[in-house]
Amino acid sequence: MISNLSETKDFYSTIIIGGGIVGAGVFRDLSLHDIDTLLIDKKDFASQTSSKSSKMLHGGIRYLENFDFPLVWEALHEKNLWLKLAPHLCFEEKFYLPIYSDSIRPKWMIRIGLFLYDLLSSFQNSPYEMKNKIETLEINADLKEEDLKGSGVYHDAVVHDGRLTIEVLRDAAINPRCHALNHIGLEDYEFLNDGRIRVILKDEIEGVTKEVFCNDIVFATGPFTDKVLAKSAQIHWNPQLLPSRGSHIWISKERLKIKTAILLTPNDGRVIFVIPQADRILVGTTESKVEEEYFDLQPTAEEITYLLANLNQYFPKAKIQEDDILSSFAGIRPLVKDDSTATLGKTARVHKYFQPLKNCHVLVGGKYTTFRTMAQDVARSIVHKHKKAYIQDKTLAEFRFKMRYNPFKQKGFTPEQEAQVRKYEFIRCEEDFNRRL
Ligand SMILES: Cc1cc2nc3c(=O)[nH]c(=O)nc-3n(C[C@H](O)[C@H](O)[C@H](O)COP(=O)(O)OP(=O)(O)OC[C@H]3O[C@@H](n4cnc5c(N)ncnc54)[C@H](O)[C@@H]3O)c2cc1C
């Protein structure tokens, strides 16, 4: 591992720009195929979108309505894979979907949807259930009782998004030919006639720059991609993104009597997740257009008002106020433009791989959950250029980088002890990433 710009080599086969989950996924895949690679991020690793998600590994129950079955199938299989590969960073959670007498989706429709969801997971999901009103309130006492008919219950996973990104990066960096540096920005780049790329890197803390060469460059810059590529005179880049802003708030677990995650479906057609994690509850998200600034966003007052209003509509007894908010965060979904969908909420979460020049790879869109399969498109192309066989099952392996402290591998933990360890892990990590309002 290296820790300074001065320690980089002068040449790498591949340079990856962006240390979010997508860049990390490509980095790990190339590392497993022994391709010498440098990954850089202008900010801290996972400090942008990849630590600002709803923290779910999920198939996307709402994409069923858009008939995005291949996407849901792929994401559910990835979710169930990571539950096995990183049990210390993600766990399965029950999601209650309350049904009211005026709900747009009646009980029979929910039942069919949840069955389809389990079917698309090849029945790897724990099976869905239907609960009546009393059973629903037994588990989630603060939920609005009036007109409640019952709930559908399905299973997705909760993930520590920032930390899984770091572990994917660390696993890649185990290969001594693969280096990763944070706070190093892409200052400039030039595609040379001899097929190489001249890349100018800038240490964002010290201000110094360094020239490094590579054969392939990968842009895994998420929502920043259009802005980064617009600077190049050699790539004639048409903007591909429809960036969509989303915010979350954390409230204390004491403020809401719920024992499972709940999916709220307000009348505006959006969905809001209420997800207990350790001693807190995550509430989000919003969906709106992005203004000029993209880095290190904070929620707006309107977004906070929107989330609180919906929370109080579904949990009227709790009377949650702004003072109850422990912290909040905002990020930008790197949605790819899709002419067939008119609204942000319905824009498909598919990813796209562009190759504007034969040694320039741009990977955008998708979801956190599907980062491994997204990365395969780029990794396959680069590995083939090295005249090597691309083995897609390599990324199914457990991390080579072993956690020194992996309690779930130890036998004999009681459920209470396991819950205690999970609580510690989540709190420690969330405190790193969240800023107070
Ligand atoms: C509100 C919200 C909720 C979401 N919830 C979920 C969810 O529950 N489940 C799910 O599967 N997905 C979810 N997503 C989607 C998921 O978070 C993203 O698809 C994913 O994190 C994108 O990762 P990325 O690596 O492409 O982008 P990022 O994580 O943003 O990484 C891009 C990196 O590029 C770096 N960079 C930019 N410019 C430069 C430069 N010039 N030089 C060097 N580095 C640069 C940035 O610093 C950044 O770290 C959610 C997204 C949002 C916004």
Side-chain angles (χ1 to χ4, degrees), residues 17-23 40-58 184-187 220-224 228 231 244-248 285-286 295 330-334 363 365-370 374:
I17 315 299
I21 191 64
V22 173
I40 56 143
D41 197 294
K42 189 183 171 86
K43 299 273 181 169
D44 200 355
F45 301 129
S47 63
Q48 303 302 310
T49 330
S50 297
S51 60
K52 306 291 183 277
S53 79
S54 300
K55 308 188 190 301
M56 290 182 297
L57 295 178
H58 65 150
I184 302 293
L186 174 69
E187 187 71 356
T221 36
F224 310 92
V228 172
K231 289 183 187 154
S244 149
R245 190 190 152 89
S247 290
H248 292 83
T285 175
T286 56
F295 280 106
I332 304 178
R333 298 176 191 84
L363 191 55
K367 290 149 50 98
Y368 189 104
T369 310
T370 51
M374 280 178 77

Side-chain angles (χ1 to χ4, degrees), residues 181-192:
L181 287 174
N182 55 356
H183 299 289
I184 302 293
L186 174 69
E187 187 71 356
D188 201 3
Y189 53 101
E190 183 188 357
F191 295 89
L192 305 175

Side-chain angles (χ1 to χ4, degrees), residues 1 167 170-171 174 398-404:
M1 279 193 203
E167 289 208 10
R170 292 195 70 165
D171 190 60
I174 274 206
E398 282 195 4
F399 286 142
R400 295 165 295 177
F401 162 73
K402 296 282 177 219
M403 293 270 296
R404 286 174 61 206

Side-chain angles (χ1 to χ4, degrees), residues 331-387:
I332 304 178
R333 298 176 191 84
L335 303 182
V336 187
K337 275 183 191 161
D338 176 357
D339 296 338
S340 64
T341 46
T343 63
L344 287 176
K346 289 206 165 166
T347 303
R349 265 57 170 174
V350 290
H351 73 269
K352 285 199 180 158
Y353 168 32
F354 300 93
Q355 232 178 320
L357 298 172
K358 69 177 185 340
N359 51 356
C360 176
H361 313 262
V362 184
L363 191 55
V364 278
K367 290 149 50 98
Y368 189 104
T369 310
T370 51
F371 76 90
R372 190 189 67 90
T373 46
M374 280 178 77
Q376 287 183 332
D377 289 351
V378 175
R380 182 182 292 108
S381 163
I382 292 175
V383 170
H384 283 163
K385 283 174 113 181
H386 286 253
K387 309 245 179 300

